[in-house]
Amino acid sequence: MSENTTFVIGAEETDVDTEELPTAFSYGKIVLLISTIGLGCSLILKAAEYETISRVLLLCTTCILLAFLLIEIVRKISHGEYGLDLVAALAMGSSIVFGEYLAGTIVGIMYAGGQFLEDFAYGRAEKGMSALLQRVPRKALRFRVDGLESVPIEQVAVGDSVLVRKGDVVPADGRLVSEFAVIDKSVMTGEPLPQRVLRGAFIPSGASNSGEAIELKVLNIASDSTYSGIVRLVEASRKSKARLMRFADRFAVWFLVLTLCVGGFAVFLSGDISRIVAVLVVATPCPLILAVPVAFAAGSSKAANLGVLVKGAGPLEALSEISIVVMDKTGTLTSGRPVVFKIYGLQSADRILQLAASLDQASSHVVGRALVDEARSRGIVLFRPEDVVEDAGAGISGGVDGLQVQIGGLNDQLESAQRQKPQENELTVQVMVNGNWLGDIFLKDQLRPDAAEFVQHLRSIGINRLVLASGDAAPASQFVGDALSLTEVRPRLTPAEKVQTVVAESAAGNVLMIGDGVNDAPALAVASVGLAVGNHNLAAAAQAADAVLLKNDLRLIPQSIEIARSTKTIALQSVYAGLGLSIVAMGFAASGYLPPVTGAILQEVIDVAVVLNALRAL
């Protein structure tokens, strides 16, 4: 594919492959429909005094439902899961053996209803996450001499020019080639209003074009772009399992043994072998099967809607147990961009900035962009630069307003009694005019406006050990640590030393590592929970982090911790309450006070209550 190949990404070409998206409660619907129709028809036949046909229909319905259940059990065992569905299968099987067909059908309905409720809960809980997948572009239209050709979006390569029409989703990270664009990043960052960006601006995939058609130069292929990284997190979240859920699997065998012991003891004492049916019916442990996954799916969805995308139930549970937070500095607690805070020289500050910013309009360097932004914020009119020459090691020079302007950097050794010395955490830009020093522009990285409230909120929820692990120099790191009253500051750390810091802190508790760059990835991966922040590196961060801050607001992090804690509490409440009621019901059933049919109905009521309680996590 050539360098100048152009694509049109049309709204009608962004169809989603529905096979890759979750189908809401389809399996539960089928099983519930079979059980409901079978029970309803059998009751009608019984009312019409066709007792034998009614019982045969109940038997057939129970056998069909048992077949569905056995298939599900085999599927789970093949994946190494030994679930509590075994108890439900034994209850239905024993009801067939002892002729309790109505009870068996009700157990089948209970099982089908549990499947339906679980699927419904997941469908509701993942609604916000699935919306991310629905925005993924699938097709592209490529311009050719003889017209347009539809091609898969995967064929877009780095360096290609892409045309994004009004209302379309940006398919891959790119640099704006058009003069300006109006971009809606609300899905990506939570910023409520579209932003006007100028030529050369970075535009992440997943953002929407709210203005006229624009041209982008692709920087990352679709699979490596920002939006794809988020999508991979969503897909991974469906596969992750919390420790509570794994506990439920391990508990299944012991609960099955307990159920059989209670049923056998009841038969031994009473001599009534059918009592084992009643015990098995009320022992079907849907609270443990459903409560934990439903609660964590709901909690993950709530966190995602808030703006923190957690990679599944396991990290969400780990987030609930965080007691120590280790943080990077640049780009995490600070803006990550230099900001002009002082201008000193032979002429007025505005004149010095005007000449420097006018020249830096032709530069893509982060310092140049900072000077241009500062000039525009002050309402300074900029001149058109001419004959610009930029050298990565020596700065930039060119003509501005009839003058020869040159901008140097930190390493310039020009001596002048009129110059001010920068502090270690400051960056100085030297401005020269016609070979003579005109002035210095001082820049530094500033604290994020939400950093102080973020730290205060962490302390308010009981997290008091806050460690700054920075690769920056000691003065800059200590300035941030003192400003936020952090527990400890560790400057000049390499990526390996950041890992050592996280490992050392883990000896005292569960660690949340917060970072924004590739250099933080090893520490993010080794922490109990790694959380990536930042708007331009989500794709890379997604590979190592357990969670991503989608919105540009640190205050959402302690809120997500509170959501995780609440989710775990609700899951445990549902498990304890549901199993407690089931065990009490087993006692009544073993004593002969709870017949199979009544027990099945009672267990269904318990299941519904448990699932509804788990959904409180939303």
Side-chain angles (χ1 to χ4, degrees):
M1 202 172 294
S2 63
E3 276 278 316
N4 57 0
T5 302
T6 304
F7 291 83
V8 180
I9 310 301
E12 71 276 13
E13 299 295 334
T14 58
D15 298 331
V16 178
D17 186 351
T18 55
E19 291 182 0
E20 296 183 11
L21 297 178
T23 303
F25 48 101
S26 57
Y27 178 73
K29 265 186 175 179
I30 294 172
V31 182
L32 183 60
L33 185 63
I34 292 173
S35 58
T36 304
I37 292 175
L39 179 60
C41 291
S42 66
L43 292 177
I44 293 173
L45 289 170
K46 184 176 182 179
E49 299 184 355
Y50 292 101
E51 183 74 25
T52 302
I53 300 177
S54 173
R55 286 179 58 79
V56 170
L57 183 57
L58 285 174
L59 174 61
C60 292
T61 302
T62 305
C63 289
I64 293 173
L65 294 175
L66 179 58
F68 271 105
L69 180 53
L70 290 175
I71 292 172
E72 181 68 10
I73 290 172
V74 170
R75 185 191 67 80
K76 287 185 176 180
I77 291 176
S78 67
H79 288 83
E81 300 176 14
Y82 303 93
L84 292 162
D85 293 339
L86 286 168
V87 181
L90 286 174
M92 294 171 69
S94 64
S95 70
I96 293 173
V97 171
F98 294 106
E100 294 284 353
Y101 303 145
L102 179 58
T105 302
I106 292 177
V107 170
I109 289 180
M110 177 177 62
Y111 164 72
Q115 290 290 322
F116 177 82
L117 285 172
E118 182 179 13
D119 291 340
F120 173 78
Y122 270 108
R124 180 180 172 188
E126 293 189 347
K127 184 178 179 181
M129 293 186 180
S130 298
L132 289 170
L133 296 174
Q134 293 170 0
R135 292 172 52 86
V136 178
R138 299 291 179 185
K139 298 287 184 66
L141 294 177
R142 181 172 61 187
F143 274 123
R144 286 189 176 276
V145 177
D146 55 350
L148 292 171
E149 178 188 24
S150 180
V151 296
I153 195 62
E154 290 80 10
Q155 293 184 16
V156 176
V158 174
D160 288 337
S161 294
V162 175
L163 185 64
V164 184
R165 298 184 298 193
K166 185 174 184 178
D168 288 349
V169 176
V170 177
D173 296 344
R175 187 78 62 191
L176 182 63
V177 177
S178 303
E179 185 176 350
F180 69 91
V182 181
I183 300 298
D184 181 2
K185 298 182 183 178
S186 57
V187 170
M188 307 296 296
T189 66
E191 299 173 56
L193 299 176
Q195 294 179 319
R196 180 185 172 93
V197 296
L198 301 177
R199 178 180 294 146
F202 172 84
I203 299 180
S205 60
S208 298
N209 179 20
S210 297
E212 298 304 318
I214 58 173
E215 182 182 352
L216 298 180
K217 197 79 167 179
V218 175
L219 299 179
N220 296 307
I221 60 174
S223 61
D224 292 337
S225 291
T226 301
Y227 198 72
S228 293
I230 296 175
V231 170
R232 283 193 292 271
L233 279 181
V234 175
E235 292 170 340
S237 72
R238 295 194 177 108
K239 301 174 184 176
S240 175
K241 239 184 184 183
R243 290 194 300 277
L244 278 177
M245 295 167 70
R246 292 192 292 270
F247 162 76
D249 290 339
R250 292 194 300 270
F251 188 74
V253 177
W254 297 106
F255 193 83
L256 175 61
V257 172
L258 173 64
T259 301
L260 294 176
C261 288
V262 172
F265 190 65
V267 172
F268 174 77
L269 291 180
S270 66
D272 182 4
I273 197 170
S274 64
R275 285 195 186 181
I276 197 169
V277 180
V279 172
L280 287 170
V281 165
V282 297
T284 307
C286 287
L288 197 55
I289 296 172
L290 301 178
V292 177
V294 167
F296 276 96
S300 296
S301 179
K302 184 175 181 180
N305 290 331
L306 178 72
V308 180
L309 186 57
V310 184
K311 196 189 290 185
L316 189 67
E317 183 182 1
L319 190 63
S320 71
E321 301 168 353
I322 291 301
S323 58
I324 301 168
V325 175
V326 177
M327 296 164 280
D328 174 48
K329 183 184 78 70
T330 306
T332 302
L333 295 177
T334 64
S335 64
R337 298 183 306 171
V339 177
V340 176
F341 75 97
K342 182 173 64 175
I343 301 174
Y344 181 83
L346 302 179
Q347 296 188 21
S348 69
D350 282 359
R351 177 57 175 171
I352 296 171
L353 180 60
Q354 182 184 45
L355 294 174
S358 295
L359 181 59
D360 267 328
Q361 289 178 106
S363 174
S364 61
H365 193 277
V366 63
V367 172
R369 292 199 298 272
L371 298 186
V372 173
D373 290 343
E374 177 66 18
R376 286 176 175 159
S377 70
R378 297 189 183 196
I380 297 174
V381 177
L382 300 182
F383 300 105
R384 179 174 180 173
E386 300 176 345
D387 302 323
V388 178
V389 176
E390 185 170 11
D391 186 326
I396 185 173
S397 62
V400 175
D401 193 24
L403 303 171
Q404 185 63 26
V405 179
Q406 181 180 356
I407 301 176
L410 275 172
N411 298 324
D412 189 90
Q413 299 299 316
L414 179 67
E415 293 292 338
S416 172
Q418 297 170 303
R419 299 187 69 191
Q420 293 187 356
K421 270 191 149 185
Q423 301 297 318
E424 190 171 349
N425 63 331
E426 297 175 354
L427 173 67
T428 303
V429 173
Q430 172 191 293
V431 182
M432 306 277 292
V433 173
N434 296 335
N436 299 312
W437 175 78
L438 179 66
D440 289 329
I441 301 176
F442 294 83
L443 304 94
K444 66 179 178 181
D445 197 7
Q446 293 187 327
L447 277 175
R448 291 172 54 122
D450 53 357
E453 192 173 344
F454 156 68
V455 170
Q456 183 180 3
H457 196 168
L458 285 176
R459 288 199 170 95
S460 71
I461 60 175
I463 300 176
N464 294 313
R465 181 154 182 83
L466 307 173
V467 179
L468 182 65
S470 175
D472 284 355
S477 300
Q478 195 61 52
F479 168 78
V480 172
D482 293 343
L484 298 176
S485 300
L486 301 182
T487 309
E488 187 175 348
V489 175
R490 300 181 184 178
R492 297 189 182 278
L493 297 183
T494 64
E497 290 170 336
K498 287 188 178 184
V499 170
Q500 293 171 6
T501 297
V502 171
V503 171
E505 294 294 334
S506 298
N510 292 319
V511 176
L512 170 64
M513 171 66 195
I514 306 174
D516 79 311
V518 175
N519 63 318
D520 297 317
L524 291 171
V526 78
S528 303
V529 179
L531 192 149
V533 302
N535 297 329
H536 298 300
N537 56 358
L538 292 182
Q543 303 301 320
D546 300 298
V548 169
L549 182 65
L550 295 179
K551 298 182 180 179
N552 192 25
D553 190 346
L554 291 176
R555 294 170 295 185
L556 301 180
I557 297 176
Q559 292 181 42
S560 67
I561 295 174
E562 291 180 302
I563 289 174
R565 291 176 176 177
S566 174
T567 297
K568 184 177 180 180
T569 299
I570 289 171
L572 289 173
Q573 286 174 351
S574 297
V575 168
Y576 293 148
L579 287 183
L581 291 172
S582 293
I583 290 172
V584 171
M586 285 170 59
F588 279 97
S591 303
Y593 294 109
L594 199 59
V597 174
T598 306
I601 295 172
L602 176 62
Q603 185 61 46
E604 181 71 7
V605 172
I606 294 173
D607 293 343
V608 172
V610 163
V611 170
L612 290 177
N613 182 67
L615 281 173
R616 288 194 302 115
L618 281 171

